Amino acid sequence: AQAPPAAAPVELAACPLTQWGEPFGDVVAEQAKARRSPPAPFTFELAAPSEAQTPDAQAAWLAENAEEVTSKMRSHGAVIFRGWELVKDAAGFRRAYEALGLSPCLDPLHAVSARPMVDKGSAVYEAVNKESRANFFIGMHNEFVGTRSPRAAMFVCFKAADEGGEFLLADGRKVFRDIDTALLKRLYEKQIRYSVMELPFFGFLDKLPAPIAAPAAGLVRSVVEGAVNAKVDFDVSLRWLDDSAYAGADDDVKALQARAPPQPPVLRHPETGAATWFCNVHSHSSKLRKDREALYGEELFTSGASRINKSDMYFGDDDALSEADLTHLDDVTTKNIKYVAMKPGDAVLLDNYQTMHGRNVFKGKRKHAVTWFE
C-alpha cells in the first residue's frame, strides 16, 4: 500500500498585534472588584477519552469537541492534555491543533531572532531545551515581543527530562488580585518598560582621547540605534549602561542597552474584559535572575555575543524598581506557580493573555516544543 501523501507545510500568519483593551480609569477599583469576586477556576485536565485511543480517533474527537475544549482554555486559562497518543510526534501534534481549529502564527521573536524549529512544515518551534540552559529557571511570562502577542499557545512534550524540567503555569488574573495595591497603582500609572538586549562591544571607546570620546560615543549610539530599529517592528531607544553593570568582566566593557517603549503592566482580556496581569518582570528582572543563580548556579551564557539576550525591567520613566518592589512581585508570582510534569502524550493549550508560563531547571535531555496561534 502506498504511504499517504505528506501534508503541505503550514502557512504562518504574522504574529498579531497585542490587544491591550480600554485603559482602566481606576486600576485600584478594578483590583478591589476582582478581589470581591470568587477566583476563577485555573487549569482543566483532559485525559484521552476511553473511546478514542488511536491517533485517528483522537483527532476526530478533538474536531467534534473543539468548541468545548477551546472554551475551557478561555474559562480556565489552560487545558492540560494527558495521555494523548496523537501528540507524541510533530505531525500528530499538528493534527491535534488543526482539529481544534487553531491557526498558527509566527513566533513573536521572529522580528528579533529565529527560534529553532522541531518541524518547520508543522510550525512546531523548539522550546528552551538546550543542556547549556538546563540550570536556567525560566521565569513566568506571557509571550510577547514589542507590539506583538500570540492569542494562544500549545506546548507539547516529546521527551521528558531525566529530572525536573516541569512546565510552569500561573494565572494572571490571580496575580493581579494579589499584588500590593499601592505598588500596582504606581506600576500602572508610571507604566513599565523592558530592556530587550545589551550590546557589550564598545570598550574601545574608553581608550579614545578625551576630546573625541564623547562625540564618538554619541555617533556610535545613533548608528547602532538606527540599525536595531531597522530590524525590529517597534521603537527601541539605546542608552549607555553604567560601567559597574559589567564589573569584574575580563575585558574592558562598555555596553549599550536597548529599551522597548513603555506599556501597561495590566490589560483587559480581549474576550472577557477581565483585568489580567500582563507583565514579564518575573522573567526579565536582572535582580530576580541573579537571585535564582544563588539557588541554581550561575547562568551558563556569560561571555561574548550571548550577552545580547540580557534583559531587565523599569518603570516607564526609566526609574528602577526597588529591591522591595521586586521581592514582592517575585513572592506574589511564585506562590501562584503551578508545576506541570509532562511526558510524551501530554500537551498544554494556554490562553496567552491570562496565563503566564515558564520552565523549571532540569537534568538530562529534554525535548518540548510549542506552536503559537492567532
Side-chain angles (χ1 to χ4, degrees):
Q2 280 190 325
V10 172
E11 293 286 335
L12 287 174
C15 186
L17 296 173
T18 306
Q19 301 177 55
W20 295 101
E22 287 296 316
F24 298 100
D26 186 343
V27 76
V28 171
E30 194 70 28
Q31 186 189 49
K33 182 176 75 172
R35 287 174 171 176
R36 289 192 301 269
S37 304
F42 185 56
T43 73
F44 179 84
E45 293 221 2
L46 183 61
S50 58
E51 70 274 19
Q53 292 296 304
T54 67
D56 286 347
Q58 290 174 357
W61 190 94
L62 288 175
E64 186 176 342
N65 295 275
E67 178 52 40
E68 182 181 354
V69 174
T70 55
S71 177
K72 290 294 187 186
M73 176 194 72
R74 290 189 292 272
S75 61
H76 288 65
V79 176
I80 301 172
F81 295 79
R82 296 292 194 190
W84 288 73
E85 192 70 26
L86 178 61
V87 300
K88 286 187 174 180
D89 59 41
F93 181 61
R94 172 183 175 177
R95 289 182 69 193
Y97 72 67
E98 288 182 337
L100 291 169
L102 300 170
S103 300
C105 67
L106 287 168
D107 187 330
L109 279 170
H110 181 75
V112 180
S113 63
R115 191 193 304 255
M117 278 189 152
V118 172
D119 185 329
K120 188 173 182 179
S122 296
V124 182
Y125 289 90
E126 184 175 343
V128 185
N129 299 316
K130 291 181 180 178
E131 290 182 73
S132 62
R133 306 303 307 281
N135 74 324
F136 180 62
F137 182 100
I138 298 178
M140 306 310 295
H141 62 285
N142 304 91
E143 202 68 32
F144 70 91
V145 176
T147 59
R148 298 186 180 274
S149 310
R151 178 66 185 81
M154 194 167 180
F155 292 80
V156 63
C157 173
F158 295 136
K159 181 188 182 306
D162 296 340
E163 181 181 326
E166 295 94 343
F167 189 60
L168 310 179
L169 298 170
D171 188 344
R173 300 165 296 184
K174 185 69 166 60
V175 173
F176 172 72
R177 291 163 61 107
D178 291 349
I179 289 173
D180 174 78
T181 300
L183 176 56
L184 175 66
K185 185 173 188 291
R186 278 191 291 129
L187 286 165
Y188 192 76
E189 290 179 351
K190 296 180 71 171
Q191 299 200 310
I192 59 168
R193 70 184 310 190
Y194 301 101
S195 65
V196 293
M197 68 176 72
E198 290 181 11
L199 305 169
F201 310 126
F202 306 103
F204 68 89
L205 290 170
D206 288 334
K207 298 178 175 64
L208 296 176
I212 65 170
L219 177 62
V220 166
R221 188 195 63 78
S222 296
V223 170
V224 175
E225 186 172 272
V228 170
N229 277 295
K231 180 175 176 59
V232 301
D233 61 356
F234 56 97
D235 292 331
V236 171
S237 62
L238 267 60
R239 59 180 54 218
W240 292 110
L241 277 181
D242 187 285
D243 290 344
S244 64
Y246 283 87
D250 293 336
D251 302 313
D252 292 334
V253 174
K254 188 174 183 67
L256 279 168
Q257 184 189 69
R259 296 191 183 183
Q263 62 191 53
V266 180
L267 54 67
R268 289 187 189 273
H269 190 275
E271 293 184 38
T272 68
T276 184
W277 184 246
F278 196 77
C279 173
N280 289 351
V281 62
H282 197 252
S283 62
H284 278 50
S285 165
S286 176
K287 178 203 180 298
L288 297 185
R289 288 200 312 276
K290 288 294 182 185
D291 289 349
R292 289 193 284 264
E293 285 185 7
L295 294 175
Y296 305 119
E298 187 175 358
E299 293 181 25
L300 300 180
F301 62 113
T302 56
S303 63
S306 58
R307 283 181 175 166
I308 287 175
N309 294 319
K310 293 178 74 171
S311 63
D312 210 343
M313 196 190 90
Y314 305 85
F315 285 107
D317 60 5
D318 291 311
D319 282 351
L321 278 73
S322 70
E323 288 202 10
D325 291 342
L326 291 167
T327 297
H328 172 73
L329 292 169
D330 183 41
D331 289 345
V332 168
T333 305
T334 300
K335 80 173 186 178
N336 282 296
I337 293 176
K338 179 184 179 74
Y339 282 66
V340 181
M342 296 172 68
K343 60 186 179 181
D346 294 347
V348 177
L349 173 65
L350 62 82
D351 182 327
N352 186 52
Y353 276 83
Q354 64 186 6
T355 302
M356 295 180 283
H357 64 276
R359 191 219 65 204
N360 194 16
V361 298
F362 67 93
K363 293 181 180 178
K365 294 188 180 297
R366 176 185 190 270
K367 189 174 182 181
H368 286 222
V370 60
T371 296
W372 314 106
F373 304 106
E374 296 182 90

